[in-house]
Amino acid sequence: MFCDLHTHSTASDGTVRPELLPQLAIDAGLSAIALTDHDTTAGLPACAAACKALGIDFVPGIEISADPLLDTSPDPANDDRPRVGTLHILGLFVRHDDAELAHVHDRMLDSRLQRNPLIVERLNALGVNITYDDVLALASDEGTEIIGRPHIAQVLIQKGYVQNIKEAFTKYLGQGKPAYVRKDLFTAAQAIDAIHHAGGLASLAHPVQLKIADSDALYRYVATLKSLGLDAIEVRHPDHTPDVAASFQQLAQRLNLLTTGGSDFHGKRKDIPLGSQHVPWSVYDALRSARPAPQY
Ligand code: AMP
Ligand code: ZN
Ligand code: FE
Ligand code: FE
């Protein structure tokens, strides 16, 4: 039996509606799925209901973007300190109506609404003729309020500026590329605390995206996250080669962390099928057993 513990729906930047994911999961031979949309729990009730109706296990989740800078000493004069890559924290078994997660949602929505027009401005300055209204129209068609760079990438495809999402990121939208604008983020501690407040387990998503090449430095970084309350790390992910996944499995053992895994399914927006990481049921079982008792 297999599970997939990292998926996105139209509640953020996936292209499949949350109530339609469970049937796809069954078609892919899965017995449990987590829905982990970026910074929102909006899709969870609909996905939960469909899982229940179809008889597969559901893990309510979220993926919170956090500031990879662990040195959080106040330094307002210099907010451009060098950062490692991307830090995303998955929350699994979260309550969808938790107040702290609602706060995460509200603040990240605000942060995206500030950043996205600035990205469009940069694109315009580069001679790329799209408008912020084009982006809003696409998001509105898809029924999401969590507008991310993949939506902007989609507009770039529609207008013929790039062939695909990957090209949009390598040419314009990725970190360090000419239209990249950093968004205001929570600290890792805040993201982990919010997930715990919601009764969930916190897992370091796709650790390879941290882009910490040195294994000792990575160990220290993840150990610091653990001291902040991190419960698990994601071992199986499409960005991890088998060797990389094996090294994260070892890291989890050394630090006594649980493991998670998933396809990071985004529907048509990424070329990765649901269930393609073949995450064994034992991974789900260990998480389920470790889950803190619900505090109602
Ligand atoms: P945002 O949260 O708006 O900054 O967008 C982040 C999302 O963009 C990620 O969750 C990925 O789905 C997608 N993304 C980030 N980098 C890339 C990339 N190089 N190629 C394709 N998609 C990417
Ligand atoms: Zn995404
Ligand atoms: Fe992510
Ligand atoms: Fe993701």
Side-chain angles (χ1 to χ4, degrees), residues 8 13 38 266:
H8 296 270
D13 57 1
H38 298 285
H266 279 73

Side-chain angles (χ1 to χ4, degrees), residues 26-102:
I26 288 174
D27 296 346
L30 298 170
S31 304
I33 51 162
L35 178 60
T36 54
D37 273 309
H38 298 285
D39 307 318
T40 184
T41 58
L44 298 181
C47 195
C51 278
K52 197 167 177 199
L54 294 170
I56 69 166
D57 281 22
F58 180 59
V59 179
I62 190 166
E63 182 174 19
I64 303 178
S65 311
D67 193 325
L69 194 65
L70 289 185
D71 166 19
T72 50
S73 49
D75 187 6
N78 177 15
D79 203 27
D80 282 330
R81 286 170 289 177
R83 283 165 163 81
V84 290
T86 297
L87 174 59
H88 286 173
I89 310 227
L90 291 166
L92 296 177
F93 304 102
V94 298
R95 277 190 300 275
H96 75 94
D97 56 355
D98 177 77
E100 287 299 316
L101 291 187

Side-chain angles (χ1 to χ4, degrees), residues 39-199:
D39 307 318
T40 184
T41 58
L44 298 181
C47 195
C51 278
K52 197 167 177 199
L54 294 170
I56 69 166
D57 281 22
F58 180 59
V59 179
I62 190 166
E63 182 174 19
I64 303 178
S65 311
D67 193 325
L69 194 65
L70 289 185
D71 166 19
T72 50
S73 49
D75 187 6
N78 177 15
D79 203 27
D80 282 330
R81 286 170 289 177
R83 283 165 163 81
V84 290
T86 297
L87 174 59
H88 286 173
I89 310 227
L90 291 166
L92 296 177
F93 304 102
V94 298
R95 277 190 300 275
H96 75 94
D97 56 355
D98 177 77
E100 287 299 316
L101 291 187
H103 173 63
V104 167
H105 166 273
D106 293 350
R107 197 178 132 193
M108 289 310 296
L109 191 60
D110 214 45
S111 165
R112 288 169 183 283
L113 292 177
Q114 288 192 24
R115 177 200 63 168
N116 292 337
L118 297 177
I119 295 181
V120 174
E121 270 180 34
R122 290 209 177 188
L123 287 167
N124 293 160
L126 292 162
V128 174
N129 263 319
I130 69 164
T131 66
Y132 186 48
D133 278 345
D134 296 333
V135 180
L136 292 177
L138 174 85
S140 155
D141 280 353
E142 295 192 357
T144 188
E145 48 170 18
I146 302 288
I147 307 176
R149 285 176 286 162
H151 298 104
I152 299 174
Q154 194 78 43
V155 172
L156 291 175
I157 296 171
Q158 279 171 6
K159 302 269 175 182
Y161 286 102
V162 293
Q163 298 285 320
N164 53 47
I165 302 261
K166 205 174 176 61
E167 189 188 345
F169 277 87
T170 34
K171 220 165 153 179
Y172 299 113
L173 303 172
Q175 259 183 59
K177 304 300 176 188
Y180 179 73
V181 181
R182 203 168 63 78
K183 61 179 180 298
D184 181 33
L185 294 168
F186 284 95
T187 65
Q190 288 170 320
I192 293 169
D193 286 352
I195 288 164
H196 286 167
H197 188 271

